[in-house]
Amino acid sequence: MRTQVAIVGGGPSGLLLGQLLHKQGIDSVVIERRSQAHVLGRIRAGVLEQGLVGLLHQAGVGNRMENEGFLHDGTMIAHEGQMFRIDFAEHTGKSVMVYGQTELTRDLYAARDASEGKTLFEVEDAAIRDAETEKPYLTLTHQGKAMRIDCDFIAGCDGYHGISRKSIPADKRHEYEKVYPFGWLGILSATPPVNDELIYANSERGFALCSMRNDQLSRYYIQCDALDDPDNWNDDDFWDELRRRIPEEAADTLVTGPSIEKSIAPLRSFVTEPMRWGRMFLCGDAAHIVPPTGAKGLNTAASDVHYLFEGLRDFYASGDMQGLDQYSGRALDRVWKTERFSWWFSNLMHRYPDQSAFDQKMQLAELAFLRDSPEAQAAMARSYVGLPY
Ligand code: RFL
Ligand code: PHB
């Protein structure tokens, strides 16, 4: 089989890139290790920056999001029983869109199917070959048959556990990592959200987040031990613990119900450099991970896709390699700023096992500074709504 761009990974990065390329008349094949049902069953991101919203429109898949998503002009920050609001609209003129990654992925698959884009599910043993030459290719097994996909370029959109990053020789890549000493226990429940905007809560019992997918579907998280097991938590224990961590006014109105999904996510900051090896380009979680505080993972994947799409578009329009040559540098410049924000916001909101009394005072002082300083709020809002591409 031959295509122009072979895309490894059928998550949001790979699908968005495929749709943008399709709109430009550039052919791609997506290979995905899992089934479509598995990919659509993962509950992940919920907050989209305007940059990503714009890309979804550009890819022709923005209609359902526009109708069913919710624009948020601000967020609440809670600490020591009080709450204050960061007004995104006032400080940046922008808002964020609350629309689930699951729905966005569903829209992208529907568009790919409608445009008869080729997607191979449940591929095994995928390997990237000759990326450093002008004739890269993939080898894999699909439905029991060995296959080869020849291409001009490979997009490595296969997430943190994929093969793309590891196909770069170890002496050619530099990895930077911080693992946080806790995780997030998240549940999805068919209940109305406790508040019409998100609440990020710093409490002495640990962090909590009240989020949502729509007016009848809520997503809540509490900081937990990184090695904890979701089966250790029944729904009542979860709701009790959440209530203890959020301000009384929210706890009193919290509507609880059975969990539809319950899982624990570890927290990690990770970046690999460079994001290119010859004709293979890394995108999204394959190249970098942020802790979810601040909702930057999917959004940063989207900005990578934007830069890579521009490079590929220019190459196919005129043979100009400049955009592709600059891809890694442009993407990493924005990635590191987003890493900084996610690291800062995580440090501000969580309890650390080895935190001293002084460290706690510093956290509370930083929260009070954020509450009282319009300049600090503006800086926070700028990062939260998304840095420009
Ligand atoms: P994905 O989504 O991991 O998709 C990669 C795909 O590649 C496939 N794959 C392979 N395919 C073929 N061959 C192989 N060898 C392969 N190896 C892997 C995988 O099966 C998979 O389908 O990466 P992508 O596309 O880069 O997208 C990244 C986002 O999924 C991720 O950054 C976000 O979900 C992070 N995240 C959030 N991001 C936000 O922007 N806003 C949020 O509100 C937000 N909340 C979250 C999150 C992540 C969370 N977890 C569970 C880590 C909340 C949570 C709890
Ligand atoms: C979510 O709704 O899943 C969500 C929202 C905001 C975050 C992280 C996750 O910072």
Side-chain angles (χ1 to χ4, degrees):
M1 186 185 285
R2 186 174 159 87
T3 188
Q4 290 174 299
V5 182
I7 300 176
V8 185
S13 305
L15 294 173
L16 178 58
L17 179 65
Q19 256 350 83
L20 291 169
L21 292 174
H22 169 73
K23 286 260 158 190
Q24 204 65 28
I26 301 166
D27 183 57
S28 66
V29 172
V30 171
I31 64 161
E32 168 57 51
R33 188 174 54 170
R34 306 288 199 155
S35 66
Q36 187 171 4
H38 179 97
V39 175
L40 291 175
R42 294 191 290 228
I43 308 294
R44 287 186 169 179
V47 178
L48 317 183
E49 296 172 358
Q50 272 180 17
L52 172 51
V53 168
L55 284 175
L56 292 168
H57 283 304
Q58 195 182 329
V61 297
N63 283 349
R64 195 161 71 95
M65 169 191 65
E66 215 52 60
N67 291 332
E68 296 178 18
F70 292 80
L71 282 174
H72 284 202
D73 288 338
T75 192
M76 304 302 296
I77 308 277
H79 68 114
E80 293 184 304
Q82 10 158 341
M83 274 208 281
F84 64 93
R85 181 166 186 265
I86 310 255
D87 191 323
F88 305 145
E90 177 194 334
H91 291 295
T92 69
K94 291 186 184 154
S95 47
V96 291
M97 173 73 83
V98 170
Y99 188 66
Q101 177 170 333
T102 315
E103 301 312 312
L104 176 159
T105 309
R106 197 183 297 284
D107 297 342
L108 284 164
Y109 269 123
R112 189 162 182 86
D113 291 348
S115 61
E116 295 180 14
K118 189 122 190 91
T119 312
L120 306 178
F121 289 101
E122 298 182 80
V123 303
E124 292 170 69
D125 308 324
I128 291 171
R129 313 278 182 188
D130 289 356
E132 69 284 24
T133 74
E134 295 209 339
K135 293 191 168 156
Y137 63 100
L138 302 178
T139 55
L140 54 106
T141 306
H142 184 236
Q143 296 174 340
K145 284 199 204 109
M147 273 185 72
R148 169 176 168 141
I149 304 177
D150 290 286
C151 55
D152 302 327
F153 299 101
I154 295 168
C157 302
D158 50 351
Y160 183 69
H161 299 288
I163 53 161
S164 301
R165 182 179 66 253
K166 292 170 204 144
S167 76
I168 304 178
D171 62 339
K172 301 285 189 223
R173 69 184 136 99
H174 301 275
E175 298 190 341
Y176 303 86
E177 183 177 49
K178 178 184 170 68
V179 177
Y180 298 78
F182 38 73
W184 279 17
L185 170 64
I187 72 164
L188 189 68
S189 69
T191 51
V194 67
N195 191 50
D196 55 4
E197 292 180 339
L198 273 64
I199 303 175
Y200 289 89
N202 171 314
S203 101
E204 52 192 34
R205 299 181 65 89
F207 170 75
L209 169 61
C210 306
S211 182
M212 67 203 71
R213 292 293 174 270
N214 59 47
D215 54 11
Q216 289 306 321
L217 197 57
S218 296
R219 182 75 166 152
Y220 295 101
Y221 298 95
I222 54 175
Q223 175 183 350
C224 66
D225 194 296
L227 300 175
D228 208 341
D229 185 330
D231 291 338
N232 292 337
W233 290 82
N234 67 38
D235 290 350
D236 287 342
D237 292 343
F238 180 92
W239 294 121
D240 286 345
E241 188 56 36
L242 179 67
R243 268 194 216 94
R244 290 189 199 108
R245 295 184 188 195
I246 58 180
E248 219 174 294
E249 58 199 276
D252 288 347
T253 56
L254 180 72
V255 181
T256 64
S259 60
I260 305 170
E261 194 263 2
K262 193 186 291 163
S263 54
I264 291 182
L267 267 70
R268 183 192 304 276
S269 298
F270 174 86
V271 181
T272 194
E273 296 184 336
M275 286 171 58
R276 171 190 187 179
W277 172 239
R279 288 192 160 225
M280 196 272 298
F281 299 87
L282 298 176
C283 260
D285 280 16
H288 41 76
I289 297 287
V290 287
T293 337
K296 290 291 155 227
L298 175 62
N299 290 302
T300 312
S303 60
D304 294 350
V305 167
H306 163 79
Y307 295 130
L308 182 55
F309 166 69
E310 285 197 337
L312 291 167
R313 181 196 60 195
D314 293 352
F315 173 83
Y316 283 108
S318 62
D320 180 1
M321 279 293 286
Q322 202 185 347
L324 290 173
D325 287 339
Q326 290 175 347
Y327 168 71
S328 179
R330 287 177 82 192
L332 282 166
D333 187 50
R334 191 172 185 281
V335 163
W336 278 113
K337 290 179 189 153
T338 309
E339 289 283 343
R340 182 207 67 82
F341 172 68
S342 305
W343 161 85
W344 167 81
F345 198 26
S346 297
N347 286 339
L348 183 66
M349 299 307 292
H350 291 82
R351 281 293 136 126
Y352 284 73
D354 58 354
Q355 205 167 16
S356 67
F358 180 83
D359 295 337
Q360 272 173 38
K361 282 285 188 193
M362 284 299 98
Q363 224 183 30
L364 294 177
E366 175 109 21
L367 280 160
F369 179 67
L370 183 62
R371 181 194 59 209
D372 299 336
S373 158
E375 292 80 9
Q377 291 189 8
M380 191 290 184
R382 261 203 295 283
S383 280
Y384 198 96
V385 301
L387 299 171
Y389 289 178

